[in-house]
Amino acid sequence: MDKEELSKELIKTAVERYPRIAVACSFGKDSMATVHLAREVDPDIPVFSIMTPFKPRETFEYLVKMNEKMGLNTTVYIVAKEVPPVLKEHGVKTVLLPTDEFEAAQSEVERKYGKKIYEVDPDKCCELLKVNPAREAVKNLDAWICGLRNTEGRTRTGVKEIEFRGLVKVNPILNWTEQDVLRYLKRNGIELHPWYTKIFPGGKRIRSLGCEPCTVPIYDWQQEREGRWFGTSKCGGECGIHTRNLK
Ligand code: SF4
């Protein structure tokens, strides 16, 4: 069986075993492959996405475009007072989560250091804008499907196909390479987020998609996640969604 068939087999088993299951989609390349595979297995599987106010405009636009094109019916979770205009305009289901805790943390950092929270304490920023919303998104689920891969970077080499962090996590493309993902998307006519196709000085590219202030382009010889939180102790690391218990 090839990698693609094995991935689908894993998803099929998970869907049969856990009726309360959904796919997480960041709208990065790995998520797009995962969500496409999952919907080949179960066309009605729910899709959710954790967005933050710091995601680039292109991500919201791409989300809207692919949501419509692939009929994903995505539910977006975001810490914000208002639905981002492009999501509102296109009627994307959006769950707004309270902003108080994030605003208080951001104000404190600004008062103390005169900087943004993601510059001083990215772990706190990720906890409030990503981990807590992920907890909300999975609270009624028994399992979720994610696009983690072992070759993405130092924090993902030991990840397993099935994990348990308060609920079951299934990683069906765990042993796919970056090239496997890109080939799969091309073969299935799934366009990439526009950030992946930009070439930056020195031939650098964005190879892992995150929030705008925490994502930089990198060289092809680097590991994919090395452009995340560049210049901080969290460089190439994790936001916490995949390392913390969500229930
Ligand atoms: S990736 Fe950066 S901006 Fe986004 S939640 Fe984490 S620290 Fe904040």
Side-chain angles (χ1 to χ4, degrees), residues 214-230:
C214 303
T215 305
V216 298
I218 54 168
Y219 293 108
D220 285 357
W221 51 263
Q222 291 181 280
Q223 286 198 311
E224 282 164 70
R225 290 180 66 81
E226 281 185 53
R228 305 286 294 274
W229 301 285
F230 187 79

Side-chain angles (χ1 to χ4, degrees), residues 68-139:
E68 287 178 0
K69 220 169 165 177
M70 295 170 73
L72 299 179
N73 198 21
T74 306
T75 302
V76 172
Y77 291 81
I78 185 166
V79 172
K81 285 203 165 85
E82 289 178 6
V83 178
V86 66
L87 301 188
K88 194 173 182 179
E89 209 178 296
H90 291 265
V92 177
K93 269 191 292 175
T94 307
V95 177
L96 293 178
L97 300 167
T99 57
D100 320 29
E101 210 181 335
F102 176 74
E103 282 169 355
Q106 169 71 70
S107 302
E108 195 183 336
V109 168
E110 273 177 355
R111 187 176 49 77
K112 273 192 186 161
Y113 307 100
K115 289 184 171 179
K116 297 288 183 194
I117 187 169
Y118 49 74
E119 297 174 284
V120 175
D121 194 351
D123 281 329
K124 185 74 182 168
C125 187
C126 281
E127 182 193 327
L128 296 174
L129 295 184
K130 289 185 168 187
V131 180
N132 288 350
R135 289 193 170 115
E136 187 62 27
V138 303
K139 72 178 182 193

